[in-house]
């Protein structure tokens, strides 16, 4: 398994100039090769491969117009061509249906204002033992903050500059997953807006909601940026302030999601989550900002990745499962309920339910775990037919096996 380890670096003023030159050369090489491929496609010719583009780059370095490409390391320039070739490969596989997920768009031209990156292979950088510096070709020794130890020797290093003018170095290393000891615990998670997550054991976790807390400052600095003249120094200062605020909001959210997902993975053997249509829910103009501030999709991705690394069982149930309509005690389905109804009483067994806790328990039941099986060893179903049968005369053992074990 390959993982990325990212660290913050602090280059000097001279090194920042060399990095800017390197980023500009990588961007020019990528855009020039992309324009050449698009022109070949318009003429009806076959797309040039990476070898042909590499030979063309060597010829461009000998011309007077592009001779400054030879002033930087050749390794990141060649990697830019490989990135373009990989982007086209992903696009073609997506068009043919050979790639999972959403459709991938064709590669686009890189811009100066977006994140800049340059990748070095193992012969383009050097790590010093017991040192706070790393050597990059034609840049020199750069100070690194080693926030954690590298598990192995990296195969590549990517130099990154974000829109907030922060510099990072990202390593790709081989990682052997170490499974955590099994504890037999299981949890169902119901995601929400008021409470970010409600666990099947009754615990509710609040979200920091960084965007909501910084909304006034964000609006004020956006107004300042819109009033500045384009191309001026003051506009660049205002843009940098706004980018740093966006970076702070993103870092706060990522820190919360990483800590919460790590805690859940360590404490539970099986994690069950509900499949949410986040893109569809974002179309609601009244809730879109609140939903985007939570980061539900990022949280699911973290749980999936960390469960593979730690040997945990991660399950996702169908989004159409009526978890909020079904009583977690007797299985009676009481019908659809409005969002403002946070507590309700089951008409069949008379037990009062918290909406989110009841949904979390039903999510765990729908996951098909061994402790959620009925007396005959079959899975407890939350479908409309089964719940209607159980609502007439709910079996005694079902109430004990589900409610007593999962409350």
């Amino acid at each position: 398994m390959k993982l990325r380890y990212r660290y913050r670096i602090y280059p000097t003023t001279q090194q920042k100039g060399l990095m800017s030159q390197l980023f500009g050369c990588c961007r020019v090489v990528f855009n020039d090769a992309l324009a050449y491929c698009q022109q070949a496609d318009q003429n009806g010719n076959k797309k040039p491969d990476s070898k042909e583009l590499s030979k063309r780059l060597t010829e461009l370095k000998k011309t007077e117009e592009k001779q400054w490409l030879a002033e930087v390391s050749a390794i990141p320039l060649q990697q830019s061509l490989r990135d373009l070739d990989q982007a086209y490969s992903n696009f073609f596989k997506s068009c043919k249906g050979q790639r999972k997920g959403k459709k991938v768009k064709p590669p686009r031209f890189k811009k100066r204002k977006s994140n800049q990156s340059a990748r070095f292979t193992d012969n383009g950088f050097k790590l010093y033992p017991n040192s706070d510096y790393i050597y990059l070709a034609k840049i020199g020794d750069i100070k690194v903050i080693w926030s954690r130890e590298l598990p192995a020797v990296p195969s590549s290093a990517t130099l990154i500059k974000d829109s907030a003018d922060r510099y990072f170095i990202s390593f790709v290393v081989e990682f052997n997953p170490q499974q955590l000891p099994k504890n037999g615990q299981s949890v169902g998670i119901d995601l929400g807006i008021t409470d970010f997550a409600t666990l099947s054991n009754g615990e509710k976790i609040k979200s920091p909601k960084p965007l909501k807390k910084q909304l006034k400052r964000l609006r004020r600095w956006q107004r300042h940026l819109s009033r500045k003249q384009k191309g001026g120094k003051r506009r660049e200062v205002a843009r940098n302030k706004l980018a740093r605020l966006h970076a702070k909001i993103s870092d706060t959210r990522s820190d919360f999601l990483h800590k919460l997902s790590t805690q859940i993975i360590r404490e539970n053997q099986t994690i069950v989550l509900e499949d949410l249509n986040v893109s569809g829910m974002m179309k609601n103009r009244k809730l879109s900002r609140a939903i985007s501030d939570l980061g539900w999709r990022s949280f699911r991705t973290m749980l999936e990745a960390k469960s593979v690394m730690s040997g945990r069982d991660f399950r996702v149930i169908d989004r159409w499962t009526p978890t909020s309509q079904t009583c977690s005690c007797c299985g009676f389905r009481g019908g659809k309920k409005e969002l403002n109804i946070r507590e309700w009483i089951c008409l069949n067994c008379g037990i009062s339910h918290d909406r989110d806790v009841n949904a979390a328990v039903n999510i765990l039941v729908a996951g098909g775990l061994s402790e959620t099986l009925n007396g005959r060893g079959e899975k407890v179903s939350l479908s409309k037919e089964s719940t209607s049968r159980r609502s007439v005369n709910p079996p005694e053992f079902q109430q004990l096996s589900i409610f007593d074990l999962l409350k």
Side-chain angles (χ1 to χ4, degrees), residues 14 22 33 36 68 123 226 229 271 350 390:
Q14 182 180 2
L22 176 61
Y36 182 73
W68 40 269
N123 57 345
S226 63
Q229 185 178 1
I271 301 95
R390 284 182 287 158

Side-chain angles (χ1 to χ4, degrees), residues 31-42:
N31 293 341
D32 185 74
L34 178 57
Y36 182 73
C37 294
Q38 291 179 352
Q39 184 178 1
D41 181 60
Q42 293 177 359

Side-chain angles (χ1 to χ4, degrees), residues 380-407:
V380 178
S381 175
L382 296 180
S383 62
K384 184 176 180 181
E385 298 177 357
S386 60
T387 52
S388 61
R389 288 199 305 268
R390 284 182 287 158
S391 63
V392 177
N393 188 14
E396 192 75 22
F397 59 84
Q398 287 187 7
Q399 295 185 24
L400 294 176
S401 62
I402 297 177
F403 182 73
D404 291 350
L405 290 175
L406 301 180
K407 65 179 180 180

